[in-house]
Each structure stands twice: as structure tokens, then as C-alpha cells.
Amino acid sequence: MECSTAVRKLRTVSSSPASKPSATANTSAITGPKKDHPGHSYGAWLAVKYALHAPQRVSRLVLLDPTQVFAGFRPGYLLRALPLLIRPSRARAAAFLAWETTGTSPDDAWQRLYALAATVPDRKLIAGSRPRAADLRMSVLVLLAEHSRALHASKVADRARRTLPQGKVVILPGATHHSLPLTAPQQLNEHLTAFLG
């Protein structure tokens, strides 16, 4: 994939079909009990966007090392990811993942899946503005990876605490951004269980 091709395929959330009025109107019309919404990384950004769009549908949020919510990416992380974004390959994906998860031992099968996902044909990168997290009114648990190379954990923790006085913020020791769901799962599950009941 040439650089120009990658740029042409970059879309914003506002230009994505899912953001059109008809699609959002349909989700707003759904009735039923509120649901808890967890999300990791970009998934956390999506969860916050949805919670702001339809707060009547969201009971609680769990944000795992959320990117583009309380702060942007670390510049070094973006520079390291750039070759993978411009010309994706399994080798580049594996090298990037190995760099970010240094000091941890992610599952081998998950590492292979991550590398394969980087080579999916015609994949599209979707970006968008930072949500107004201060407008969230539901309970929020923010779990940050101590050694995340995507975010500066302590700075994001401070900002999250100032932004969400109703939230709980925890830094998980030993975890990195990409290894977070797999690093110390018992500790992660304990926090999730205590928060979600």
C-alpha cells in the first residue's frame, strides 16, 4: 500500500456511514435497560463517544488505556507505528507489538492474530475529535497500563481524575498498552468485578 493510498482511505467519524443521522437515529430509538460499556484503546474512545451520544443507554463505562480520550498518543508511539500504517506487513506488525509489549509475555496465538490483522486488505483507519469526557455523568472506571508506550500513564491518570470526579482511576502495574487485557488478568478481573458488581 502506497502512502497516498493510505491517506485516501483515512476517514473521520463524521464521514463514516455509521455517523449518518439515520444510523444514529436508529440506535437512539432502541428501548430497554441501560448497559455497561467496556472498551480498550480505540474501543474506549468509541464507548465514550457512544455514552455522550446516548447517555440514556449507558449505565457504566470501563475504559482500558483509552486513547484520544484524556490525552493524545505519545509522539514516540506514533513515530514507531508510522511504517506499519504506511506499508503494513506481518513482520512490521510483529516488530511493533514486540516493542510495545517489552517486558511482558503476550499469548503467542494473540500475537499472530495481531500481525495477521495488520494485513487485512482495504482496511480503513477511522479518526475523530477528542470527546468531551467531562460531560459524562455515569460511573466510569479507567484502568491504565503502567508501562504503556501509547500513553503516559501517570499524566493521563491525573487528567482523568480531574475530568471525572465521579470516576475511579487505577494504574495496573507491569502492563503495556497492547498487553493490558492479557497482563495480570486476575488483577484486571478483580477491578472489573468490584466495579461492575
Side-chain angles (χ1 to χ4, degrees):
M1 178 188 300
E2 296 300 325
C3 181
S4 58
T5 304
V7 171
R8 283 199 304 272
K9 290 184 178 181
L10 178 67
R11 298 189 300 173
T12 64
V13 169
S14 60
S15 66
S16 170
S19 69
K20 301 300 181 196
S22 59
T24 54
N26 289 339
T27 58
S28 298
I30 298 173
T31 59
K34 290 184 175 183
K35 302 292 183 184
D36 299 325
H37 289 265
H40 171 242
S41 189
Y42 175 69
W45 180 86
L46 287 174
V48 171
K49 283 283 195 177
Y50 180 74
L52 290 170
H53 168 73
Q56 73 280 6
R57 300 288 301 133
V58 180
S59 177
R60 292 168 293 191
L61 285 176
V62 177
L63 310 178
L64 303 174
D65 223 38
T67 53
Q68 297 296 91
V69 175
F70 304 105
F73 289 98
R74 281 178 148 180
Y77 180 87
L78 293 177
L79 285 173
R80 196 78 178 218
L82 192 58
L84 175 61
L85 296 173
I86 293 174
R87 195 177 289 245
S89 71
R90 290 176 63 180
R92 283 193 172 104
F96 176 73
L97 187 64
W99 167 77
E100 205 288 321
T101 60
T102 299
T104 65
S105 301
D107 179 75
D108 288 339
W110 175 77
Q111 292 183 68
R112 290 194 299 273
L113 178 62
Y114 180 92
L116 283 170
T119 61
V120 172
D122 298 321
R123 68 192 186 119
K124 294 177 175 62
L125 301 174
I126 301 177
S129 60
R130 192 175 301 171
R132 291 181 53 84
D135 291 343
L136 294 170
R137 295 294 174 258
M138 66 284 297
S139 296
V140 182
L141 172 63
V142 181
L143 296 173
L144 299 165
E146 179 187 24
H147 300 304
S148 174
R149 295 196 178 196
L151 304 170
H152 193 292
S154 61
K155 289 181 179 178
V156 173
D158 290 342
R159 186 170 296 178
R161 291 185 182 107
R162 290 195 306 269
T163 304
L164 301 172
Q166 81 282 19
K168 180 179 181 183
V169 181
V170 178
I171 296 178
L172 295 174
T176 73
H177 181 74
H178 292 283
S179 72
L180 179 58
L182 305 172
T183 303
Q186 181 176 350
Q187 185 182 36
L188 177 64
N189 288 339
E190 286 173 358
H191 285 292
L192 292 175
T193 301
F195 180 71
L196 297 174

